Each structure stands twice: as C-alpha cells, then as structure tokens.
Amino acid sequence: MTEETRSIRRLVLGILSIVLGIVSLAAFFSITYVAGIGILGGFYGLILIALGVGLILPKREPKKQETQ
C-alpha cells in the first residue's frame, strides 16, 4: 500500500494554476463590458482551476479484479 506523493513541482504548478484561474475569474467581472473578451476570460479561468486541481489530486488507478 505504497502511494507515491506528488512532487513539489506539481504542487507548486497546481497552486499557481489555481491562483491564476481565480485572478482570471475576478478579471472576468471587471471586463465584461468588452464584447467577447469577458466570456473568454471566464472560460480560461475555469480551465486553469481545473488544470490546477488535476495537477494536485492523485491519480485514480483502476482496481484489478482477481480471477479465481
């Protein structure tokens, strides 16, 4: 039952990605008056947050079924 821990680099990049996503979402509300750019900023922020969460969370490995 050994689990590999995430490397420091992945944690730092994940946290940085989440922070940039939050900043992008905050900017989304300040530039919504510009046609189209506000929507792109919102999607970009959500993608960055999802990427950061994906970097931080451990991988799920499929369970192997034993044959008898």
Side-chain angles (χ1 to χ4, degrees):
M1 293 182 58
T2 61
E3 292 185 20
E4 293 183 21
T5 59
R6 291 291 184 181
S7 68
I8 299 296
R9 175 189 270 175
R10 286 183 71 108
L11 289 175
V12 169
L13 289 175
I15 292 170
L16 180 65
S17 177
I18 291 173
V19 168
L20 288 176
I22 292 171
V23 168
S24 180
L25 283 178
F28 166 72
F29 293 112
S30 66
I31 62 168
T32 53
Y33 62 91
V34 179
I37 294 177
I39 299 296
L40 291 177
F43 286 131
Y44 181 70
L46 292 176
I47 290 170
L48 279 176
I49 291 173
L51 175 68
V53 169
L55 284 170
I56 292 174
L57 291 179
K59 288 184 183 178
R60 286 191 207 175
E61 294 186 16
K63 295 180 180 178
K64 296 180 182 178
Q65 295 180 354
E66 295 181 16
T67 57
Q68 293 180 351

